[in-house]
Amino acid sequence: MPTLILVRHGRSTANTEGLLAGWTPGVALDERGAAQAAELPGRLAELPLAEIVTSPLQRCQETIRPLLQARPELNPHTDERIGECHYGDWSGRKLAELKDEPLMEVVQAHPSAAAFPGGESMRAMQTRAAEAVREWNVRVERDHGADAVYLMCSHGDIIKSLVADALGLHLDLFQRISVEPCSITAIRYTRMRPFLVRLGDTGDFTSLVPREEPPGDEAQVGGGAGAP
């Protein structure tokens, strides 16, 4: 079965403003995110990509644009199932304000029980994304062979949930996974089991440098802004 390359979108204006973007329209890449996207073709130059699938949201479309320009033979596919979690009434709100919401504790400690007001549950988010991957695995293998490599450009919580699915981890553990903007995660699927062969690879280790104000012990809902 194929190997899936998961790319999180580059850093967005919502990331730098501390907003939970969700499906809020008009969320674009910031200057750094655009630079990250511009580096993507070089980082993936050695990979013979069979297909490119992307979330419909603007920040993913912008992230994948330089790669498509470098590979004009590829026609992108848009799949809403790998779009961001529907955060409902939380969409567009500041994460600092949401921190005190009682639901945030559930999102952090027991996400399988979390459902966003006016939005969807995190279980539903994971289910739709995993179903999309399984269907695309079949399609890519059918059209390009069992050794094919294809790419999906998606969002932090979606990618984390797919990693948890591949590892057989309960969704309640997925907040232990971290994927920075424009990071590359690779999962090789086989008949017996998936193999996680890359996780959140940016090629940049500056996010590991100790900070004056260390990051807290809570996972950043939506994925976080990455290295400062």
Side-chain angles (χ1 to χ4, degrees), residues 20-227:
L20 186 61
W23 285 69
T24 305
V27 177
L29 299 183
D30 68 6
E31 185 176 349
R32 180 170 180 175
Q36 291 170 331
E39 293 173 355
L40 200 55
R43 294 169 63 196
L44 297 171
E46 301 300 319
L47 292 181
L49 297 176
E51 300 281 1
I52 291 181
V53 187
T54 181
S55 157
L57 295 174
Q58 180 179 339
R59 52 199 183 273
C60 286
Q61 300 280 337
E62 291 180 355
T63 297
I64 219 67
R65 191 173 298 150
L67 182 60
L68 292 171
Q69 291 171 347
R71 303 198 188 196
E73 73 280 5
L74 291 173
N75 293 315
H77 306 274
T78 298
D79 195 325
E80 290 194 358
R81 294 174 296 177
I82 62 167
E84 181 62 286
C85 184
H86 291 275
Y87 296 117
D89 298 344
W90 281 24
S91 299
R93 292 181 60 187
K94 284 194 171 291
L95 287 162
E97 296 173 358
L98 294 169
K99 192 173 182 180
D100 295 328
E101 292 277 356
L103 178 60
M104 183 59 84
E105 186 176 355
V106 181
V107 171
Q108 291 291 328
H110 191 20
S112 67
F116 296 97
E120 70 179 332
S121 70
M122 301 197 92
R123 293 191 317 280
M125 173 199 75
Q126 183 186 43
T127 297
R128 63 173 165 85
E131 286 178 349
V133 167
R134 283 165 173 75
E135 289 181 18
W136 275 102
N137 282 349
V138 172
R139 179 173 173 175
V140 169
E141 181 173 2
R142 180 196 67 204
D143 295 344
H144 302 283
D147 294 329
V149 179
Y150 74 107
L151 181 146
M152 284 184 167
C153 184
S154 189
H155 306 265
D157 281 350
I158 295 288
I159 294 173
K160 288 163 57 178
S161 74
L162 289 172
V163 170
D165 175 76
L167 293 176
L169 291 177
H170 196 283
L171 185 61
D172 286 347
L173 301 178
F174 100 125
Q175 298 290 27
R176 302 182 183 195
I177 299 165
S178 176
V179 289
E180 292 195 3
C182 225
S183 63
I184 293 172
T185 294
I187 302 171
R188 181 165 59 86
Y189 289 88
T190 74
R191 298 294 178 191
M192 293 294 292
R193 63 182 61 84
F195 292 89
L196 179 65
V197 293
R198 292 288 189 281
L199 176 60
D201 187 345
T202 63
D204 180 358
F205 296 101
T206 55
S207 64
L208 303 179
V209 175
R211 306 181 192 179
E212 289 184 12
E213 187 173 330
D217 57 4
E218 292 190 347
Q220 186 91 40
V221 181

